[in-house]
Structure formats: structure tokens, C-alpha cells
Amino acid sequence: MEWSHAEDVAQAACGTTHTLFLTKEGKMYACGNNDHGQLGHDNDTLPNKRPQLLTSLENYIITHVSCGTAHSVALTNWGQVFSWGSNAVGQLGHDTENGRQPIPRMIKAIGAKHVVQIASGQYHCLALTNSGELYGWGSNSYGQLGIGTTNEKVPIPTLVQSLAGVPIAFIACGGNHSFAVSKSGAIFGWGKNTFGQLGLNDLNSRCYPTQLRTLRSLGVRYISCGDDFSVFLTNEGGVFTCGAGTFGQLGHGSCGNEILPRKVFELMGSKITQIACGRRHTLAFVPSRGKIYGFGLSGVGQLGIGLLGNFNTPQIVRGPWFKTEFEASGCDEATQQITVNRIFSGGDQCFVSVMGSDGSADFRVYE
């Protein structure tokens, strides 16, 4: 990516048609579609083809970014949460009737809390505080907020009371479903389950967090979700998937759905340290081989494998970090030093940050 700040990027977050980049210094850049104000630039609704600085957040140090279909969320080092973009179903948490918010605005309802993690689904958001409270807002049509009801919109961050007292280590959102991992390794899922994406061995959606007992003994550390499927990364570096498999996004060699998390056998024998899902595709990183694998929909090239179509088994993602045995044996040290740092995916796009020497992130280790 030829952009002057590309080397400074620490995180990328992808919406359906927009992307946010966060630099190591905590500055935010945005590009893509701006129909709903999701880029956070007040100038117009025109798309940006180059990443542009969000001047309204220049005075803050941003530590994490997240995107929904057409909204954006940012977390500061002080634990404040800002949101902007589409607010059609209250996904910005501002309790206003405004359908869109083109400038980042702090979510006042949780302004006194110190938020440590944020996650976004298509039209809903979750926030975890340093005292272990979990809040949800936005669309709740499938119960994806976990508050015991289903309703079209919940415009104010609302406490997920059934998880009060459960020490939560990690949260994740799918299109219309949500997960939390407790510090002891229990997995809770809720929301849309039409394709079995909650991994509960049925197709019933849940409006309360429900424990996935099937995964209890596996030591799940990290979860990434697409629109209607879920991917689990275990302590041992194994990958399990469930939910919609129409495009091959589960990686099991078929296009069937799975209602129970099932191990991706094609990745067996490899220790996976990072997973990332787009709407209908999945990426997995194997550090020992320095390779990224992709499976699922590649209609617009989102798997990076050089081919279009659907792929239901892991395929090698081609990039400058990938060397065939022949190339590696014949090249000098200088060209071999490209190491994958982090993989990012969302919508129908993916990004990989690389570094010049050894050292890549391990999603199984909590910061």
C-alpha cells in the first residue's frame, strides 16, 4: 500500500465498504464509502480513495478501532468511546433520533466508565469496562445485545446483567451475534443462530448469553466472526468453526453449515496464532511457516490467492511474506526478512501489517 503512513499502521478495521487505520501513535485515518458519515470527516459524503486523517480525534490517543456495516467506533487510552456514521438502529449509543453522525462523538452514557475493549457487529456494539461490566447497544432484533429481549433498536448502552460477576477476558461480535470469553475459559454466545453460528447444537437464536459447554475443555482464547459464522482459536493453536458454510468459509471441504464448532482438519499439525474473518471469508496465520491461509468467498479477491470463486479448504494467501521453498533457498537474507505482524479482515477486504524482522502478534495472548 503506497501511503506515507502505511508503515505506522498498528490496526485496521473494516466495515462493509469503509476502512479505518490506526497508527502506532494513536492517530486515525479513514477511507472508502462515506454515505452515512462513517469516515468521520465532516466535509461531504463523497468517498475517500486515500486514507485521510480524522482531525476531530487528533487530540486523543486512540488505542482500538472497530467497524460495523456503516458505523465506526474508537476507544481512547483514557477508556472513552467515540462513535460516528449510521445511527439507523441506535448503533452509535447516543440516544438521539439522528440517523447519521458524521463527526466522532463521545458516548456519554458510558463516559464515566473506563472501557477496555470494544466490538462491533453489523448494527450493534459491545463495550467491556475495566471493572468487568459488559454493555451493548444498537440493533437487538435477534437478541444480540444479550439483555433478555429482542427489539429493533437500543440506542443507549445497556448492561448485560446476566454476565455481571463473570470476569470477562475477551469479547467478539459477528454480523448479528456476540461472544464473551471468561477469564476461566468459559465461552458465552448469544444473538442470531439461524445457521448454528453460536455453536450450541441447535438453530435457536438466544437473547441471553448461553454457555458453549462443547468448547469448555478446549481452552478457546480468541474468537473472530463473520456475518453468520464463527471461528474459535484455542490455546494450543487449533481452529474450530461453525455456522453458515455456503461459501466455504468454515474450511471443512464442504459448503454445509455446522451447528457445533468443528475442527478445521486441513490446518491440523500447524499452530495457528491469528485468525480474522470478513463477511464470508476467513484468514488464519501459521507463524512457523510464515504463511497465511484463506478460505471462503473470493468473489472480489478477498482471499488474496490470485483466484476468484469459493474455496472450502485453506488456500495459501500470496504476498511478499510468502516464499516457495525454491525461492527461499535461492534468495539472500535481505529479501527473506519480511515477517507478518498482524492480519486484519472485515467486509470483503483484508490487510496484513508486516515488519522487517521476526515478531508477530499472538492473538491467544491477552494484552
Side-chain angles (χ1 to χ4, degrees):
M1 189 165 134
E2 292 186 13
W3 168 49
S4 57
H5 296 281
E7 288 187 9
D8 301 326
V9 170
Q11 272 179 52
C14 311
T16 302
T17 54
H18 75 292
T19 304
L20 303 178
F21 295 105
L22 175 62
T23 69
K24 293 165 189 150
E25 291 77 47
K27 300 290 175 234
M28 290 235 357
Y29 292 79
C31 61
N33 182 340
N34 199 28
D35 286 352
H36 302 274
Q38 62 262 53
L39 299 188
H41 305 309
D42 192 29
N43 45 15
D44 50 40
T45 56
L46 291 173
N48 277 351
K49 293 183 180 175
R50 310 284 293 171
Q52 226 176 335
L53 180 70
L54 268 76
T55 49
S56 56
L57 289 174
E58 260 190 308
N59 296 330
Y60 297 91
I61 296 172
I62 306 299
T63 57
H64 196 79
V65 290
S66 180
C67 292
T69 294
H71 73 278
S72 306
V73 189
L75 177 64
T76 74
N77 61 333
W78 293 103
Q80 306 151 300
V81 183
F82 286 81
S83 60
W84 62 98
S86 171
N87 194 35
V89 286
Q91 62 264 57
L92 300 187
H94 294 154
D95 193 27
T96 65
E97 287 303 311
N98 285 354
R100 62 193 292 277
Q101 169 71 36
I103 299 180
R105 185 175 157 197
M106 191 164 70
I107 302 179
K108 291 205 168 60
I110 46 174
K113 310 281 179 187
H114 187 109
V115 173
V116 290
Q117 276 185 53
I118 52 173
S120 296
Q122 283 183 350
Y123 311 105
H124 76 290
C125 299
L126 295 179
L128 177 67
T129 71
N130 63 352
S131 60
E133 293 175 319
L134 183 63
Y135 290 86
W137 64 94
S139 168
N140 194 34
S141 45
Y142 296 95
Q144 60 262 52
L145 300 186
I147 56 176
T149 57
T150 55
N151 32 5
E152 192 194 350
K153 63 190 214 179
V154 177
I156 302 177
T158 304
L159 185 66
V160 182
Q161 285 181 317
S162 65
L163 287 177
V166 176
I168 295 170
F170 179 80
I171 55 172
C173 289
N176 295 286
H177 64 292
S178 307
F179 285 104
V181 182
S182 81
K183 288 186 177 168
S184 66
I187 316 288
F188 298 88
W190 60 97
K192 187 179 179 185
N193 195 33
T194 320
F195 298 93
Q197 58 262 55
L198 294 184
L200 293 167
N201 206 18
D202 61 39
L203 298 174
N204 306 324
S205 297
R206 304 291 203 282
C207 57
Y208 282 112
T210 307
Q211 195 172 342
L212 279 75
R213 303 203 181 273
T214 47
L215 286 174
R216 183 72 214 230
S217 58
L218 292 171
V220 169
R221 297 287 291 171
Y222 189 88
I223 304 172
S224 184
C225 306
D227 269 8
D228 290 307
F229 70 102
S230 309
V231 182
F232 305 88
L233 177 62
T234 71
N235 213 6
E236 305 204 317
V239 175
F240 290 74
T241 62
C242 64
T246 318
F247 300 93
Q249 63 266 54
L250 302 185
H252 299 307
S254 76
C255 290
N257 302 340
E258 300 286 341
I259 59 174
L260 270 173
R262 179 177 161 193
K263 189 157 196 174
V264 181
F265 281 106
E266 289 261 349
L267 294 173
M268 286 259 290
S270 314
K271 197 167 270 190
I272 310 295
T273 56
Q274 299 184 33
I275 52 173
C277 295
R279 274 187 330 134
R280 291 166 175 165
H281 71 283
T282 306
L283 298 181
F285 176 56
V286 182
S288 62
R289 301 183 196 164
K291 288 177 183 170
I292 301 168
Y293 293 87
F295 40 100
L297 178 66
S298 189
V300 291
Q302 58 265 59
L303 292 187
I305 61 174
L307 298 166
L308 301 182
N310 299 341
F311 297 86
N312 56 26
T313 55
Q315 310 287 316
I316 292 175
V317 177
R318 304 201 166 257
W321 57 85
F322 169 73
K323 295 271 183 289
T324 63
E325 305 307 320
F326 175 75
E327 286 173 317
S329 60
C331 67
D332 58 30
E333 281 300 301
T335 57
Q336 247 178 318
Q337 289 299 305
I338 296 179
T339 305
V340 170
N341 178 16
R342 284 183 73 119
I343 59 175
F344 303 97
S345 195
D348 296 320
Q349 65 265 43
C350 305
F351 293 89
V352 175
S353 63
V354 296
M355 53 216 308
S357 59
D358 285 339
S360 57
D362 189 335
F363 290 2
R364 298 169 303 165
V365 179
Y366 299 137
E367 291 164 8

